[in-house]
Each structure stands twice: as structure tokens, then as C-alpha cells.
Amino acid sequence: MKNLNVQEKSKGIVLFAYNTPKVNYVKIAEQASRLITHSLNLPITIITDRIDTQDNMRVGYAGGTPWYNTGRHLAYEVSPYDETILLDSDYLILDDSLIKILDLATDYSIMTHNQSPKQTMDGNMGMYSLNFVWATAVVFKKTAKSKLLFELVGRIQHNYDYYRKLYNIKAGNFRNDYAFAIADNIVNGYTPSPGIPWTMLTIDNPITKIEIKNNKLIVREKESAHVIPRQCLHVMDKDYLLSDDYNSFVDKICQN
């Protein structure tokens, strides 16, 4: 029998979208929201104002596309939900797998494994350092442990030079994947948490077209194509995410 005195916890999605001179991340987030609504049917909050103005722009994959890389630690504070799925807007939600993580008896879960169609993308932060995680997807509940995790990520961001030396990190620029890995390790007594129990698939080359046929994804690159089971997909190519073809792809998904 349902206890009518127990208030149902609110659940929703948070996306950060900071435009740069070259990339309209707000538009990418709006398209991502359409896919999220179709697959998860949860409310969505898009953070477009840079609430943390610490200057750090990371140059990424797909033609060196830059993006602002700070402020993610504020997701715990700004999320209006009791239970939150924090996503990068370049993570295409094409099934309902992430919502099932909210049913787990964990304070938070982070994407810990990633691969492209050709090779693993897992690795460590330096020769003698921790394995990094993928902050592309972080599922968390409003608990003391989750709050501590995000506070530590903020502390690491604002003292990155110190933590970079402490953890023998090779990269000079701050990276959320590294900050969450360090914070997770500390919160869990210097051992990593289990994380989200599947491997994220990333397309790290420029894309010309994405299709779905017979419940399979067909991802076309300039000189090759990948046929994979339908699943959520991390797309590095921001030019494609702003293209007419991607808009048509999202239209077709949302019409079904």
C-alpha cells in the first residue's frame, strides 16, 4: 500500500551550456533537451549564465573546438531537483537507461568507462596518477555525501595547481573529469566508487550523418561508418551537433 504521507522526490536533468565565440552551446543543449524529453520524460534545467566566472577555456577534440570548463561543481547547489541527472549537452540520450540509475541505493554515480568504436578511451591523469572518470554523465541525489563530492570538485577547481602537483596530473588546464575522479576517490576513503555500470560510447571523429534503422545506429564519418545497437551516444563533433542533418535526426527521433 502506498504511503500517502511520503512525498515523492522530484527528479530532473541539469545541463550547463555556455556559448563561446565559435560554438552555440545553448542551441546544442536545446536539441539535447528534445532527445531527453522523448526518452526520459523528465523536466530539464539549462544553466546558461556563467555562475562561476573563473577563466578557464579548454581546447577539445573535433577540430580544436573550445569550451568553458568551470562551474560544474555548482550543479548540486543550482539543481532544483531532489534527484538529478547532470549531463553534457553533447551526450545524445537515445534510451531510458540513465533513469534506472536513480533507482539504485547510491548517493551518486559517475560515468567511469568510455570507448570509441575502435578503442578504449579510459586512462589515467598522469604516469603515476589515478584513472580519470567521465563527467559527461553524473547522477546524484541531494545527500550529505553528494554535497561533499561537489564541494570537493569546487575546491579542486579553485586550487587546481596544487591538486595537479599532488596527483601528478600531466594536463595543464583544469578538467572536470579529473576533478570528479579526485573528489570521488577522497569521498570514498581513497578508493573509487563503482560508477555507472556500463561503458559510454564516444564518436571522436567528425561526423557526416547519423541514422537509426531497425533499432541500430548508423554513424557515418567521411570515409567510414559504424553500425551499433541503439544506445546513448557521446558526440565530440560540435559542428555536426549544429548541422541541419543533426536537426533532422532529432526531429525523426522525437516523432517516433
Coordinates of all heavy atoms in Angstrom, one line a residue, residues 37 56 77 87 123 143 201 249:
T37 N 13.7 14.7 -23.3 CA 12.2 14.7 -23.1 C 11.6 13.5 -23.8 O 10.7 12.8 -23.2 CB 11.6 16.0 -23.7 OG1 12.1 17.1 -23.0 CG2 10.1 15.9 -23.5
N56 N 38.7 29.7 -17.5 CA 39.4 28.5 -18.0 C 38.6 28.0 -19.2 O 37.5 27.6 -19.1 CB 39.4 27.4 -16.9 CG 40.2 26.2 -17.3 OD1 41.4 26.3 -17.5 ND2 39.5 25.1 -17.4
E77 N 24.2 22.8 -6.0 CA 23.5 24.0 -5.4 C 22.4 24.4 -6.3 O 21.3 24.8 -5.8 CB 24.5 25.1 -5.2 CG 24.0 26.4 -4.7 CD 25.0 27.4 -4.6 OE1 26.2 27.1 -4.5 OE2 24.7 28.6 -4.7
L87 N 24.2 16.2 -17.2 CA 24.7 15.8 -18.4 C 25.4 16.9 -19.2 O 25.1 18.0 -19.1 CB 23.5 15.3 -19.3 CG 22.7 14.1 -18.8 CD1 21.5 13.9 -19.7 CD2 23.6 12.9 -18.8
G123 N 41.8 6.0 -19.2 CA 43.2 6.2 -18.9 C 43.4 6.9 -17.6 O 42.5 7.0 -16.8
T143 N 22.1 14.5 -1.0 CA 22.6 13.8 0.3 C 23.9 14.5 0.7 O 24.5 15.2 0.0 CB 22.8 12.3 0.1 OG1 23.9 12.1 -0.8 CG2 21.6 11.6 -0.5
L201 N 29.7 5.2 -25.0 CA 30.3 5.1 -26.4 C 30.4 6.6 -26.9 O 29.5 7.4 -26.9 CB 29.3 4.4 -27.3 CG 29.8 4.2 -28.8 CD1 31.1 3.5 -28.9 CD2 28.7 3.6 -29.6
F249 N 17.8 14.6 -37.7 CA 17.9 13.3 -36.9 C 17.1 13.5 -35.6 O 16.3 12.6 -35.2 CB 19.4 13.1 -36.5 CG 19.6 12.0 -35.5 CD1 19.5 10.7 -35.9 CD2 19.9 12.3 -34.2 CE1 19.6 9.6 -35.0 CE2 20.1 11.3 -33.3 CZ 20.0 9.9 -33.7

